[in-house]
């Protein structure tokens, strides 16, 4: 029943965003034909469109994974070379924000800033990214937005933990989920490059791949991000993948629950404006060790 409910939510979210796109396309056509002016469109449909956009964005933010932190030192990531003075520790990263991700560039791996929320190269405008912060591992080869990216545009998202909200009656309790050894790890992801049809804007963006939850996460949420350590991360970046469902299923499995931990944190994390170490501290203890070991 939980899986069916989640599936219905994603379908509704897709419908809302598709409706937004059709509304915008129709408005542009009517304005171009002189049927309606831009001001008339905003007066008559602007309020309804704004509400639809708000609901679509809210639906996207409830998807797993919807928040994470990356307080690791990027200079310690062994798959990378060079200095990264522009990147600093983050504790509460939210969708639509710019995030450093690792990509394969010819024969080397590099760090590149991308927006969280995939905007496919064929999209008419970047608003579609609001609903594409995650991609289900089980259907990557079935979705046009993801199928081609599996073979040529895979990425790693450096993190040291992520958030999920546990229900207790009518309230939601935020939780910080991480590896027991406090070592930074990575999410498996896909990225794409989008350019405005007019040619004056460009955007690099990514999505985080999710799979079914392990034993630790299942009481909290039925999905979890695909997690990689050093060896699996190298494989995801550097090896060849194509339309091979069996191979993809083998490398996009849930991470071992016995290697993970979770604790309750402050509701500070509920607002993306709060981006400090206090977000990840256990509410039961003021002590929390910052990860020190390299990711890869």
């Amino acid at each position: 029943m939980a899986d069916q409910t989640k599936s219905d939510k994603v379908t509704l979210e897709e419908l809302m965003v598709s409706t937004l796109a059709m509304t915008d396309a129709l408005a542009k056509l009517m304005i171009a034909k002189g049927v309606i002016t831009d001001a008339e469109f905003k007066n008559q449909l602007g309020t309804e469109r704004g509400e639809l956009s708000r609901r679509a964005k809210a639906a996207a933010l409830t998807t797993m994974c919807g928040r994470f932190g990356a307080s690791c030192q990027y200079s310690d990531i062994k798959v990378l070379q060079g200095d990264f003075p522009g990147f600093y520790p983050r504790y509460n990263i939210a969708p639509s924000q710019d995030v450093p991700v690792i990509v394969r560039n010819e024969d080397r791996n590099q760090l590149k800033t991308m927006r969280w929320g995939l905007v496919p190269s064929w999209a008419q405008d970047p608003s579609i990214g609001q609903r594409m912060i995650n991609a289900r591992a089980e259907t990557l080869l079935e979705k046009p937005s993801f199928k081609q990216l599996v073979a040529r545009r895979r990425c790693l998202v450096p993190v040291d933990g992520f958030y999920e909200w546990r229900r207790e009656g009518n309230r939601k309790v935020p939780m910080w989920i991480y590896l027991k050894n406090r070592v930074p790890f990575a999410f498996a992801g896909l990225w794409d490059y989008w350019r405005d049809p007019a040619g004056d804007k460009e955007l690099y963006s990514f999505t985080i791949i999710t799979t079914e939850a392990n034993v630790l996460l299942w009481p909290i949420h039925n999905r979890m991000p695909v997690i990689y350590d050093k060896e699996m991360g190298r494989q995801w970046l550097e090896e060849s993948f194509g339309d091979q469902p069996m191979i993809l299923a083998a490398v996009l499995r849930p991470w071992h629950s016995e290697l993970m931990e979770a604790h309750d944190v402050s509701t500070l994390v509920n607002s993306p404006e709060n981006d400090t170490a206090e977000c990840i501290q256990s509410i039961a203890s003021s002590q929390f060790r910052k990860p020190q070991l390299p990711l890869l």
Side-chain angles (χ1 to χ4, degrees):
M1 180 61 70
D3 284 337
Q4 184 61 46
T5 301
K6 189 67 176 178
S7 176
D8 290 344
K9 180 188 291 185
V10 173
T11 300
L12 176 59
E13 178 191 336
E14 291 177 347
L15 177 60
M16 288 190 293
V17 177
S18 296
T19 303
L20 278 171
M22 289 188 291
T23 301
D24 289 344
L26 180 59
K28 290 179 181 178
L29 179 61
M30 294 176 69
I31 293 171
K33 295 288 187 179
V35 177
I36 190 173
T37 67
D38 183 62
E40 289 172 333
F41 168 72
K42 290 178 180 179
N43 289 335
Q44 296 179 26
L45 296 177
T47 301
E48 290 81 359
R49 188 198 182 285
E51 175 63 15
L52 188 60
S53 178
R54 185 193 66 77
R55 291 184 179 183
K57 188 171 184 179
L61 294 178
T62 61
T63 307
M64 179 70 177
C65 160
R67 296 282 182 84
F68 64 91
S71 62
C72 49
Q73 295 296 322
Y74 293 99
S75 59
D76 289 336
I77 300 176
K78 293 184 177 180
V79 297
L80 301 172
Q81 300 177 14
D83 298 323
F84 311 100
F87 301 121
Y88 53 91
R90 297 287 307 279
Y91 299 91
N92 189 13
I93 298 171
S96 79
Q97 294 182 351
D98 292 340
V99 183
V101 301
I102 307 172
V103 297
R104 186 72 174 169
N105 184 10
E106 296 181 352
D107 60 346
R108 62 178 295 181
N109 302 315
Q110 66 175 168
L111 205 61
K112 189 173 185 64
T113 300
M114 298 189 186
R115 182 169 301 175
W116 183 13
L118 187 77
V119 179
S121 58
W122 45 261
Q124 290 298 309
D125 65 78
S127 64
I128 192 174
Q130 295 175 357
R131 71 173 178 88
M132 299 184 73
I133 65 171
N134 295 156
R136 294 174 67 92
E138 299 88 342
T139 58
L140 287 183
L141 299 180
E142 300 173 13
K143 304 287 187 178
S145 303
F146 306 135
K147 184 176 181 180
Q148 299 301 318
L149 304 183
V150 171
R152 57 191 178 89
R153 289 186 171 174
R154 301 184 301 276
C155 65
L156 294 175
V157 186
V159 305
D160 45 34
F162 59 98
Y163 299 95
E164 187 48 59
W165 282 255
R166 183 184 76 253
R167 283 194 174 275
E168 283 190 359
N170 294 326
R171 72 187 189 107
K172 291 184 177 181
V173 178
M175 303 185 69
W176 174 246
I177 303 160
Y178 52 97
L179 299 188
K180 282 184 178 180
N181 58 10
R182 309 292 174 85
V183 175
F185 52 97
F187 293 151
L190 301 172
W191 67 275
D192 208 349
Y193 169 77
W194 174 84
R195 188 175 180 84
D196 189 315
D200 56 352
K201 296 180 182 179
E202 62 178 12
L203 177 67
Y204 288 88
S205 60
F206 72 96
T207 186
I208 294 170
I209 301 174
T210 67
T211 186
E212 61 183 16
N214 60 21
V215 174
L216 175 70
L217 270 294
W218 187 257
I220 308 170
H221 202 288
N222 64 350
R223 306 289 297 175
M224 69 177 293
V226 173
I227 292 173
Y228 286 152
D229 60 6
K230 172 183 175 180
E231 296 305 321
M232 288 297 293
R234 288 186 183 278
Q235 182 180 359
W236 180 247
L237 275 185
E238 299 173 10
E239 292 193 12
S240 175
F241 291 92
D243 55 348
Q244 307 164 56
M246 294 293 289
I247 295 178
L248 276 181
V251 300
L252 298 176
R253 294 175 297 179
W255 194 248
H256 313 287
S257 58
E258 65 273 15
L259 301 179
M260 302 178 68
E261 286 185 345
H263 62 241
D264 294 354
V265 295
S266 167
T267 54
L268 280 172
V269 73
N270 291 348
S271 172
E273 295 181 1
N274 299 320
D275 191 5
T276 66
E278 191 175 355
C279 289
I280 66 175
Q281 291 177 349
S282 171
I283 58 174
S285 172
S286 60
Q287 300 298 317
F288 189 90
R289 291 189 296 123
K290 180 179 176 180
Q292 296 296 327
L293 299 179
L295 164 64
L296 296 169

